[in-house]
Amino acid sequence: MYKKISIILFTFFGVTISNAQENILLKDYSPKSIYKIPITVIEKAKFPVIDMHSHPYATTDAEIEQWIKTMDKFGIEKTTILSYQTGKKFDSIYNVYSKYEGRFEIWCGFDYTGYNEKGWSEKAVKELERCYRVGAKGIGELGDKGEGLVYSKPTKAYGMHIDDDRMKPLLKKCGELGMPINIHVAEPYWMYEPIDIHNDGLMNASDWKIDTSKENILLHAALIKTLENAVKENPGTTFIACHFANCSYDLSIIGRLLETYDNLYADISARYAETAPIPRYTKAFYEKFQDKLLYGTDMGMEPSMYETTLRILETEDEHFYEKELFNYHWPLYGLGLGDTILKKLYYENAKKIID
C-alpha cells in the first residue's frame, strides 16, 4: 500500500516539475542567488572618478542638478557627455550642460551630410572646427556595427567606415585640435551567432542581434580591422575604443591593439555584465592594461547604476545578479581591483586624455 502511494506521489510531483520546466519561458527566467554570502554596499567610489562615457540623459536644469547630486554622492567628479550631435543641436546641448562648470565635458559628432558628394570632407572639417570653437572637447560616440558610421547626427553614413579615405582629413584635424575620438565598433560576439540553444547571450537576443545576412555588412573581425587601420594611420590622434571594442569574449584582441598603439585607449562602459562573469581573467586584464583603461558607464544616471559598477570593480562579492541593468542569465562577480589600478581607471588615465 505504502509503496503504491509512493509511486503515485512520485509520478504526480515528477509530472508537475516536468510541466513547470516546460512552461517557463526563457524571457521570464530571472534567477535569484541562493548563496548566503557577503553583500557589499558601495556608498561612494574609493577615489575620485571621471566618467568618460555618458550621454545627455538629463534634458532640464532640474534633471541635471539631480544628476550632479547623484554624482557627488558616488564621487563622480566629472562626466563626459557624448552628444553624437553637430550644428544647432550640439550648440543647444552644450549650452545646457556647460552652465555647470567643471562637472561635464561635452563632445560633438561628425556631420556626414553629403558624405557621398565631392568636397564633403572639407565641409565636415569646417563644422568640426566650429563645434570646437563652441566648446566641444572631443568626438563621440561614433558608431559602426557593420553597415557604416551611423551614430553621429543628423545623417547616417551607410557604407563609410572609420578607415575610409574620406575620413582622413577629419581624423587628422582631431589630432591637431587635441580632440579624442570615442568610437563604438562591432557588438558582443554572441550577437553574430545563431539564435539557438547554444547561444550564451540568448537572454538578450530578442532586443540585440546583428543581421549577418545583410549585403556588404562588415562582421566582427573586419570592424576591428577598420579601427586598427584608423588608429595606425593617425598616430597623432587619440582614439578610445568604447566597450572594450566589444571584445569582451576575447580580451586578447583589444589587448593586442592596446599594446601596439600608444594612441589607443579603451573604455569599460556598458560591458560590466559581459566581463564580471569571468573575474580572474578580467582582473588580470585590468592589471596588465591598467594604463590604458577608462571608467565609463553609458547606462543612465540612476544611483543604482553607479553602485553596481563600483561594486563590480571594488569588491570581491560573488554570484549576484543585476536584472535591472543587465538582462543576462550570467551571475556576476566583483573584481576586487587594487588601489593603484582604481586610481588610474577612475581618474589618472582620463586626465592624460582630457587635460
Side-chain angles (χ1 to χ4, degrees):
M1 180 66 176
Y2 291 115
K3 185 176 182 180
K4 185 175 181 180
I5 293 174
S6 297
I7 292 173
I8 292 172
L9 289 173
F10 177 79
T11 303
F12 173 77
F13 286 113
V15 170
T16 301
I17 293 170
S18 176
N19 288 341
Q21 289 175 330
E22 292 178 2
N23 292 331
I24 295 174
L25 299 179
L26 183 62
K27 67 182 181 65
D28 297 326
Y29 181 63
S30 183
K32 295 182 180 180
S33 176
I34 64 170
Y35 294 102
K36 304 303 179 183
I37 51 180
I39 296 174
T40 307
V41 177
I42 299 294
E43 297 182 349
K44 190 172 186 177
K46 202 170 185 180
F47 305 103
V49 177
I50 297 175
D51 183 347
M52 287 294 289
H53 192 132
S54 193
H55 297 289
Y57 302 113
T59 57
T60 66
D61 287 344
E63 290 176 345
I64 294 175
E65 288 164 10
Q66 181 57 51
W67 191 358
I68 291 173
K69 290 179 181 178
T70 302
M71 289 166 57
D72 289 341
K73 177 182 177 182
F74 287 97
I76 313 298
E77 183 177 289
K78 179 185 288 188
T79 294
T80 301
I81 301 295
L82 306 178
S83 75
Y84 307 109
Q85 300 288 349
T86 57
K88 292 182 179 179
K89 184 63 175 178
F90 170 75
D91 297 355
S92 66
I93 292 173
Y94 180 83
N95 290 336
V96 170
Y97 279 89
S98 62
K99 292 185 293 185
Y100 304 91
E101 188 173 354
R103 303 313 305 270
F104 298 99
E105 185 158 302
I106 304 93
W107 294 17
C108 65
F110 287 144
D111 187 352
Y112 300 127
T113 303
Y115 70 98
N116 279 322
E117 299 172 2
K118 185 177 180 180
W120 166 77
S121 298
E122 290 76 14
K123 293 179 182 178
V125 167
K126 288 182 179 179
E127 174 58 17
L128 170 65
E129 292 174 323
R130 191 200 69 81
C131 288
Y132 174 77
R133 290 193 297 271
V134 170
K137 299 297 185 182
I139 307 298
E141 170 187 2
L142 304 184
D144 187 350
K145 298 182 179 182
E147 296 183 85
L149 293 162
V150 298
Y151 273 26
S152 285
K153 298 177 181 180
T155 304
K156 299 178 185 293
Y158 289 107
M160 184 169 72
H161 306 283
I162 191 67
D163 61 345
D164 191 288
D165 285 345
R166 290 168 288 181
M167 293 295 297
K168 288 182 178 179
L170 280 164
L171 303 184
K172 181 181 179 182
K173 180 57 67 173
C174 286
E176 293 172 356
L177 296 175
M179 300 177 76
I181 298 172
N182 180 294
I183 180 168
H184 175 140
V185 292
E187 284 288 60
Y189 199 73
W190 64 263
M191 296 188 192
Y192 298 86
E193 297 185 325
I195 301 178
D196 58 22
I197 61 173
H198 303 296
N199 190 313
D200 201 12
L202 189 59
M203 301 298 288
N204 276 326
S206 62
D207 298 320
W208 303 98
K209 187 74 177 76
I210 297 296
D211 185 355
T212 59
S213 68
K214 286 186 176 180
E215 187 177 0
N216 298 321
I217 191 170
L218 297 188
L219 301 185
H220 197 283
L223 286 167
I224 298 300
K225 185 60 178 175
T226 66
L227 170 65
E228 181 173 11
N229 290 342
V231 172
K232 182 178 181 179
E233 292 169 5
N234 296 274
T237 302
T238 298
F239 292 83
I240 301 168
C242 64
H243 318 317
F244 296 102
N246 283 303
C247 294
S248 50
Y249 84 105
D250 184 357
L251 290 171
S252 68
I253 297 173
I254 183 62
R256 180 186 67 81
L257 299 183
L258 293 174
E259 280 185 312
T260 304
Y261 303 104
D262 292 339
N263 59 323
L264 178 65
Y265 292 79
D267 85 34
I268 68 172
S269 67
R271 294 299 178 266
Y272 295 88
E274 289 82 355
T275 52
I278 49 170
R280 289 182 291 276
Y281 185 84
T282 299
K283 183 175 182 178
F285 180 84
Y286 275 84
E287 290 172 346
K288 184 174 182 179
F289 296 103
Q290 59 187 269
D291 295 316
K292 304 296 288 290
L293 300 177
L294 304 162
Y295 175 85
T297 55
D298 191 27
M299 296 181 291
M301 54 185 183
E302 293 299 316
S304 59
M305 180 274 295
Y306 292 109
E307 183 179 333
T308 297
T309 65
L310 301 178
R311 182 185 183 189
I312 289 172
L313 296 172
E314 295 188 14
T315 81
E316 294 184 341
D317 286 5
E318 297 182 289
H319 198 91
F320 59 94
Y321 298 94
E322 285 295 341
K323 189 69 180 293
E324 294 300 317
L325 275 179
F326 318 120
N327 196 32
Y328 290 112
H329 59 281
W330 305 326
L332 309 176
Y333 299 83
L335 305 180
L337 299 178
D339 289 356
T340 298
I341 296 174
L342 288 173
K343 288 177 181 178
K344 293 178 180 180
L345 177 70
Y346 284 166
Y347 196 84
E348 293 173 5
N349 292 342
K351 294 293 281 186
K352 292 188 294 186
I353 294 173
I354 64 176
D355 276 3

